[in-house]
Amino acid sequence: MEKAKKHRKKEVSFFLYIKSWEKEIPTHWRNVLIAEALNYCVYNEDLVIKGYWLTQKRLYLVILTEKHSAEHILNVFAKQVAKGMYEYQYRLKNSQTTSSKSILFTDLFIKLPLYNQYIIQLITGEKILLPYYNPYVVQLQHKIHDDNYCSAIDYRGAIGPVVVKTH
């Protein structure tokens, strides 16, 4: 009797610094196309998002990888972002904008490790309990709590723009 191979889920946390392309697209549309690209990866690449936070220049992510590597998923994500950029430019200019050049992840983002445990805890729905007052944590809680593009929405019981696994 063959045993089925069990893939181990690995939690990975990092943030993506958004390169200068974000200036070409209004913030609202940029946020929507990033959310759509993340959702594409959830439904088509089996990405599990435990937490995210999209700010003006960064996308913080805490994900579970099982079937694909984080690098594979990030490349698929970048292709979806590029596709959204071209679609936006097409609608804006009303002329076909295509690129023969393949967009690489590194053309759009810089990937850096996410070491800030406070951000990780807040975007994954964990409570931060400190025996003292920390103004930095309070400021982060307010920023994250009030942001429309953050998984904290899902952990409060609402539905955010990106599919998040809250359990």
Side-chain angles (χ1 to χ4, degrees):
M1 185 166 158
E2 278 186 38
K3 291 183 180 180
K5 288 185 180 179
K6 287 189 177 183
H7 297 282
R8 296 185 64 171
K9 289 185 180 183
K10 181 180 175 190
E11 185 173 298
V12 182
S13 56
F14 53 88
F15 72 91
L16 305 176
Y17 179 79
I18 301 169
K19 289 189 172 182
S20 62
W21 65 268
E22 56 88 20
K23 295 175 185 172
E24 300 172 21
I25 298 175
T27 301
H28 170 72
W29 287 110
R30 182 208 58 164
N31 292 350
V32 168
L33 76 90
I34 287 175
E36 287 178 352
L38 286 171
N39 286 329
Y40 177 89
C41 291
V42 167
Y43 287 106
N44 296 292
E45 298 296 321
D46 298 319
L47 173 64
V48 176
I49 300 174
K50 285 188 63 183
Y52 73 96
W53 182 26
L54 179 57
T55 67
Q56 186 65 33
K57 286 285 199 186
R58 293 181 178 101
L59 171 60
Y60 298 91
L61 283 170
V62 178
I63 63 173
L64 292 176
T65 61
E66 181 179 17
K67 189 175 180 181
H68 301 290
S69 70
E71 287 71 28
H72 169 80
I73 290 171
L74 289 175
N75 283 321
V76 172
F77 167 71
K79 287 178 185 174
Q80 291 304 308
V81 169
K83 180 180 173 187
M85 290 169 57
Y86 291 130
E87 288 173 1
Y88 173 81
Q89 292 170 348
Y90 174 77
R91 281 184 254 152
L92 183 68
K93 295 177 183 173
N94 200 17
S95 65
Q96 189 162 0
T97 307
T98 58
S99 174
S100 58
K101 176 183 147 189
S102 178
I103 296 289
L104 299 173
F105 174 78
T106 54
D107 294 332
L108 301 176
F109 301 96
I110 298 171
K111 179 184 170 199
L112 298 165
L114 176 54
Y115 296 120
N116 189 320
Q117 289 302 311
Y118 296 135
I119 291 176
I120 292 171
Q121 287 177 277
L122 290 169
I123 67 175
T124 58
E126 295 178 34
K127 298 219 184 272
I128 298 174
L129 301 172
L130 298 173
Y132 53 88
Y133 177 79
N134 184 325
Y136 172 70
V137 171
V138 172
Q139 180 186 23
L140 267 179
Q141 287 171 327
H142 288 297
K143 279 184 177 180
I144 287 173
H145 185 270
D146 294 337
D147 204 315
N148 290 329
Y149 286 90
C150 183
S151 53
I153 293 170
D154 299 272
Y155 287 102
R156 289 193 315 264
I159 298 173
V162 175
V163 177
V164 174
K165 183 171 180 141
T166 58
H167 295 67

